[in-house]
């Protein structure tokens, strides 16, 4: 049972290592999804949020890590 | 046509490079087990891991066809973003010298020492423990390969070339490992992880947008633009983090 739990933990770790980065990515995706649902006639807005959001999240995350 | 070829080329390259990295990591553990307990538990553990992987692929593969394409693109896109940006973040921090580089020789030494320590306490069931270590390494690294293959080829009919690329990378590392019998410490792992992180993040962004109904300019060619943007951001982050300018990518 312990081995199975450890395996599941390692599987989750494939996608989530730094909780802040994972949460920020999910938040960007959620925002893009809300925009896509509210303004389906301007889908580029959702795309722009995704693109700028992901690049921004990455940059901010690594810069914050340096300060830690 | 150019867009499709670009997509297929990027997918094959990403799968090959990512599989190289994963295979090197699995090989290190299997070699450590073989060094301490011989090839029997190492080989049996690795084979058991491969068999379970095959069962998982055979069981889950047909289910993917039943998921609506938009939903599949969205789910895989988000997972790819999480997975790819995690790799890219780590590669940036390693390239800037903030966290240590992944060192196969050190991992091999630590795994070997751990198995020898276990030998003192559990001599009788050590073969079983050693086989389990080999099994777990092959299963976990293999699952990453399977995820990458499925994710970057989802819904685009590139499953066969992408699978062949991944398999070729794994066989190449297995053959080299079998010949040299030591961890492949000279593989520029961080540079590969940087490149793969860039490509997987680009694919993730593309799929997530497609899942939301975004018509990306240039269609599949947008992946190349996204990869260039992630690469530029990653290199800029390394330069910012490493103010002395000594950028070490490998």
């Amino acid at each position: 049972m312990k081995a199975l739990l450890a395996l599941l933990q390692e599987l989750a770790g494939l996608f989530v290592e730094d909780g802040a980065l994972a949460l920020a990515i999910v938040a960007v995706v959620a925002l893009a999804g809300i925009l896509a649902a509210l303004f389906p006639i301007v889908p580029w807005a959702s795309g722009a949020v995704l693109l700028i959001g992901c690049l921004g999240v990455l940059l901010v995350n690594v810069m914050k890590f340096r300060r830690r | 046509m150019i867009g499709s070829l670009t997509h297929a080329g990027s997918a094959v390259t990403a799968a090959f490079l990512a599989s190289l990295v994963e295979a090197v990591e699995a090989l290190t553990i299997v070699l450590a087990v073989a060094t301490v307990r011989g090839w029997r538990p190492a080989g049996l553990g690795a084979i058991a891991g491969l068999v379970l992987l095959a069962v998982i692929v055979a069981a889950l593969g047909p289910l993917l066809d039943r998921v609506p394409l938009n939903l599949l693109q969205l789910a895989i896109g988000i997972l790819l973003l999480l997975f790819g940006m995690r790799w890219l973040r780590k590669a940036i921090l390693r390239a800037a010298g903030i966290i240590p580089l992944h060192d196969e020789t050190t991992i091999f030494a630590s795994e070997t020492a751990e198995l020898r320590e276990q030998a003192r306490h559990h001599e009788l069931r050590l073969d079983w423990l050693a086989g389990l270590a080999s099994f777990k390494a092959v299963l976990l690294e293999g699952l990453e390969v399977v995820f990458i293959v499925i994710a970057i080829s989802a819904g685009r009919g590139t499953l066969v070339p992408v699978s062949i690329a991944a398999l070729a990378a794994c066989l190449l590392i297995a053959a080299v490992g079998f010949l040299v019998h030591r961890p492949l410490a000279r593989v520029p792992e961080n540079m590969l992880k940087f490149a793969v992180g860039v490509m997987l993040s680009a694919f993730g962004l593309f799929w997530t947008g497609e899942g939301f109904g975004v018509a990306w300019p240039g269609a599949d060619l947008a992946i190349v633009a996204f990869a260039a943007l992630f690469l530029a951001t990653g290199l800029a982050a390394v330069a910012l983090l490493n103010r002395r300018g000594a950028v070490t990518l490998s």
Side-chain angles (χ1 to χ4, degrees):
Chain A
M1 192 62 190
K2 260 171 85 177
L4 185 67
L5 277 176
L7 191 70
L8 287 175
Q9 253 177 355
E10 290 202 40
L11 274 180
L14 298 183
F15 302 100
V16 182
E17 191 174 56
D18 179 277
L21 178 69
L23 267 179
I25 293 170
V26 171
V28 167
V29 171
L31 184 61
I34 291 168
L35 277 176
L38 291 180
F39 308 105
I41 51 165
V42 276
W44 57 265
S46 170
V49 165
L50 262 181
L51 177 59
I52 296 165
C54 285
L55 295 174
V57 157
L58 179 67
L59 202 55
V60 170
N61 183 277
V62 289
M63 297 315 286
K64 272 193 172 173
F65 189 89
R66 184 176 179 249
R67 275 185 234 136
R68 271 185 234 161
Chain B
M1 179 67 182
I2 293 172
S4 298
L5 281 177
T6 308
H7 181 277
S10 315
V12 165
T13 310
F16 184 79
L17 295 181
S19 304
L20 273 185
V21 174
E22 301 300 348
V24 166
E25 290 181 3
L27 176 73
T28 300
I29 308 295
V30 174
L31 278 176
V33 171
T35 304
V36 177
R37 296 305 294 180
W39 280 102
R40 193 167 175 269
L44 285 176
I47 289 168
L50 288 173
V51 169
L52 184 57
L53 265 180
V55 170
I56 291 170
V57 171
L60 292 183
L63 290 180
L64 287 178
D65 291 337
R66 298 186 188 176
V67 182
L69 188 60
N70 262 22
L71 198 62
L72 188 67
Q73 284 173 332
L74 187 59
I76 282 180
I78 296 169
L79 288 176
L80 267 180
L81 273 178
L82 290 169
F83 190 88
M85 285 177 68
R86 176 186 147 247
W87 272 36
L88 187 52
R89 168 187 177 272
K90 214 168 189 178
I92 290 169
L93 293 173
R94 281 178 174 154
I98 291 175
I99 59 173
L101 289 172
H102 189 90
D103 183 351
E104 293 304 329
T105 311
T106 309
I107 293 169
F108 178 78
S110 118
E111 188 70 25
T112 312
E114 196 179 316
L115 283 165
R116 288 202 168 116
E117 181 61 27
Q118 285 176 347
R120 288 199 201 116
H121 304 293
H122 311 285
E123 182 59 42
L124 284 176
R125 54 190 188 110
L126 186 67
D127 276 354
W128 164 249
L129 288 172
L132 196 65
S134 177
F135 166 77
K136 206 175 98 177
V138 170
L139 179 65
L140 281 174
E141 306 302 344
L143 277 176
E144 289 192 59
V145 171
V146 169
F147 167 71
I148 291 167
V149 166
I150 290 174
I152 58 182
S153 57
R156 291 292 167 129
T158 53
L159 186 62
V160 173
V162 167
S163 304
I164 290 172
L167 193 64
C170 294
L171 289 175
L172 176 68
I173 295 299
V176 175
F178 188 74
L179 286 176
V180 301
H181 273 221
R182 60 194 162 97
L184 306 182
R186 292 173 72 183
V187 172
E189 198 167 330
N190 203 48
M191 194 163 71
L192 289 176
K193 277 201 162 171
F194 204 112
V196 175
V198 160
M199 293 171 100
L200 295 185
S201 302
F203 272 100
L205 187 64
F206 182 81
W207 288 132
T208 307
E210 292 247 307
F212 284 140
V214 177
W216 295 113
D220 287 358
L221 281 173
I223 295 171
V224 179
F226 296 156
L229 285 170
F230 272 109
L231 179 64
T233 306
L235 291 176
V238 174
L240 281 171
L241 289 168
N242 192 350
R243 287 191 175 164
R244 284 169 294 181
V247 177
T248 313
L249 278 179
S250 56

